[in-house]
Amino acid sequence: VLGSGTNTQPTCVPGQPGNGDCTIIVPVQESEIFYSKVADTQGPVEVGDLITYTVWVDVLYSKTTEELVLTDTLGDGLDFTAVTFAGDFTCNNANPLICSLPIGTVPGAYRLEYTATVSPTALGTVRNAIVANLPDAECPSGCVVEIPLLATDVSFYKTSSTPGPVQTDD
């Protein structure tokens, strides 16, 4: 605000007649949160393969006013291995994997990486899903990752201990 007149050092005293209100209130847009998850492979995978999952969280507009908690549940056929990059997240090291961003997280992109191993109990596909605790956090795509398992290849053969030819008894 620029003043005019003879006073070069105007003062603003709130509540005094003629001085007006000196308080300026500028609303700050609430934060918006988007999250997604991808795997380093689309498959097919087989027993013993290590899969790396990357979770992205985008905080927009302003800092968060609540803790964001992501719960990532590995389905049948996946064994949790390790969190390989937590960044600003705090995580447990188990299935389900529970990771959180604290209250006051500023706008930006946040990454989390972890690995899982395809176990002998895998059948058909391996699947896991991530959900957020905040109802306004959105996962427009990539909240469930399904990776096909390599088809089982079974071979068998038969041998004989007799070098041949074989005769039949009539």
Side-chain angles (χ1 to χ4, degrees):
V1 174
L2 296 175
S4 63
T6 58
N7 185 353
T8 59
Q9 297 289 327
T11 59
C12 182
V13 181
Q16 296 293 321
N19 286 325
D21 189 359
C22 301
T23 304
I24 298 174
I25 299 173
V26 178
V28 176
Q29 183 170 346
E30 289 185 29
S31 63
E32 288 186 24
I33 300 172
F34 296 92
Y35 63 102
S36 63
K37 179 174 64 175
V38 295
D40 67 343
T41 182
Q42 293 181 9
V45 294
E46 60 186 325
V47 172
D49 283 354
L50 186 68
I51 302 171
T52 299
Y53 293 95
T54 303
V55 176
W56 286 100
V57 173
D58 291 314
V59 176
L60 305 175
Y61 308 120
S62 61
K63 66 182 180 180
T64 59
T65 57
E66 296 179 67
E67 178 182 41
L68 173 67
V69 179
L70 298 174
T71 302
D72 197 334
T73 304
L74 290 105
D76 292 337
L78 287 173
D79 291 334
F80 175 79
T81 307
V83 173
T84 54
F85 180 80
D88 293 301
F89 289 88
T90 301
C91 301
N92 67 346
N93 279 302
N95 183 17
L97 179 64
I98 301 171
C99 297
S100 61
L101 283 174
I103 296 171
T105 298
V106 297
Y110 298 89
R111 177 175 59 104
L112 164 69
E113 288 185 3
Y114 70 94
T115 56
T117 304
V118 179
S119 73
T121 61
L123 183 62
T125 61
V126 289
R127 177 184 193 275
N128 69 345
I130 190 168
V131 295
N133 67 319
L134 301 177
D136 293 340
E138 295 180 38
C139 186
S141 63
C143 294
V144 175
V145 175
E146 289 188 358
I147 301 171
L149 203 60
L150 192 62
T152 304
D153 185 18
V154 178
S155 299
F156 62 94
Y157 61 94
K158 183 176 180 179
T159 63
S160 171
S161 60
T162 305
V166 178
Q167 294 181 336
T168 60
D169 291 329
D170 291 327

